[in-house]
Amino acid sequence: GAGVSQSPSNKVTEKGKDVELRCDPISGHTALYWYRQRLGQGLEFLIYFQGNSAPDKSGLPSDRFSAERTGESVSTLTIQRTQQEDSAVYLCASSLVRGGLNEQFFGPGTRLTVL
Amino acid sequence: GDSVTQMEGPVTLSEEAFLTINCTYTATGYPSLFWYVQYPGEGLQLLLKATKADDKGSNKGFEATYRKETTSFHLEKGSVQVSDSAVYFCALMEYGNKLVFGAGTILRVKS
């Protein structure tokens, strides 16, 4: 079946503008994650959604970042008043959550460049 | 907090050479450990995993053993191929299904 998809694949924006990034998880996956990968660095956890539970927002770097998810479907990550340090690849992952280890499947990412 | 440290790259090897990419971790409990791979132009893929001490994860000729005493999970392959050229990420998962990643190691294999 289809994997995790993300759009757009590339986004160039000017400092101060708002951007919205979209993630379509694998159908049936109850958990959805957002990560950020800055140049030369590992992935940083941003936010985690699991079913109807309150999301774990502990990785969001500032209040300019927010994310929503409707049910067990699409998620959007919004960055308001973008700054140059927000430039990164934003990765989305989804997983089934059941007893034991839950493998996360990653999308191709959105490369965000803030000029 | 939890963290993962992996050897800096790039690592450049000739085909059929032996590969080791070192990975050590810091965690408060007993995490699960992973190696992810990112091939050029592709998304991140799970390569192998281990969930408890002394477990060995293996896939596509790659192996890594969970060493609790040294808090390590080094990636090895006996004979690399050009097609193994990629970025390799070591990661751990402890609480809340969040993955904590190392910075990644670029592997370049020359024919």
Side-chain angles (χ1 to χ4, degrees):
Chain A
V4 178
S5 61
Q6 293 185 244
S7 61
S9 55
N10 278 285
K11 176 72 176 178
V12 180
T13 191
E14 293 180 349
K15 179 180 171 182
K17 296 284 178 73
D18 297 352
V19 295
E20 248 186 33
L21 312 180
R22 176 186 168 108
C23 172
D24 283 89
I26 293 172
S27 178
H29 278 192
T30 56
L32 187 147
Y33 314 78
W34 284 98
Y35 294 87
R36 175 171 73 174
Q37 184 179 16
R38 288 192 276 196
L39 189 65
Q41 300 183 26
L43 282 74
E44 306 167 68
F45 166 78
L46 296 177
I47 188 168
Y48 160 52
F49 295 90
Q50 167 51 30
N52 295 321
S53 302
D56 178 350
K57 304 179 182 180
S58 60
L60 294 179
S62 78
D63 58 9
R64 297 186 295 104
F65 287 71
S66 62
E68 292 184 350
R69 186 183 188 195
T70 306
E72 294 182 354
S73 60
V74 171
S75 175
T76 55
L77 176 69
T78 302
I79 309 173
Q80 295 178 307
R81 304 180 304 281
T82 52
Q83 304 295 312
Q84 288 183 332
E85 62 263 27
D86 299 335
S87 296
V89 177
Y90 289 82
L91 289 163
C92 176
S94 70
S95 71
L96 274 173
V97 177
R98 49 190 175 197
L101 201 59
N102 306 302
E103 180 180 347
Q104 296 182 23
F105 295 84
F106 283 81
T110 294
R111 182 175 297 278
L112 174 65
T113 303
V114 182
L115 301 177
Chain B
D2 295 353
S3 66
V4 175
T5 303
Q6 57 183 108
M7 66 189 288
E8 291 186 19
V11 173
T12 303
L13 296 173
S14 297
E15 225 172 2
E16 300 183 4
F18 184 85
L19 168 71
T20 301
I21 300 178
N22 290 338
C23 170
T24 56
Y25 67 90
T26 303
T28 53
Y30 301 97
S32 296
L33 302 174
F34 305 81
W35 277 99
Y36 279 82
V37 59
Q38 189 170 33
Y39 297 104
E42 298 185 18
L44 209 59
Q45 302 172 26
L46 178 64
L47 180 60
L48 53 84
K49 62 190 179 193
T51 58
K52 60 183 188 299
D54 300 325
D55 268 3
K56 177 185 284 187
S58 62
N59 186 26
K60 299 182 181 179
F62 290 88
E63 291 184 342
T65 301
Y66 190 143
R67 299 287 188 202
K68 184 169 175 291
E69 63 277 12
T70 54
T71 62
S72 65
F73 193 55
H74 304 321
L75 183 68
E76 296 181 336
K77 186 174 186 182
S79 176
V80 294
Q81 305 300 312
V82 172
S83 57
D84 293 327
S85 297
V87 184
Y88 292 82
F89 293 91
C90 186
L92 67 81
M93 181 188 294
E94 189 167 27
Y95 303 117
N97 291 305
K98 293 179 285 189
L99 286 164
V100 176
F101 286 87
T105 301
I106 297 171
L107 172 65
R108 297 179 181 142
V109 181
K110 297 182 175 180
S111 59

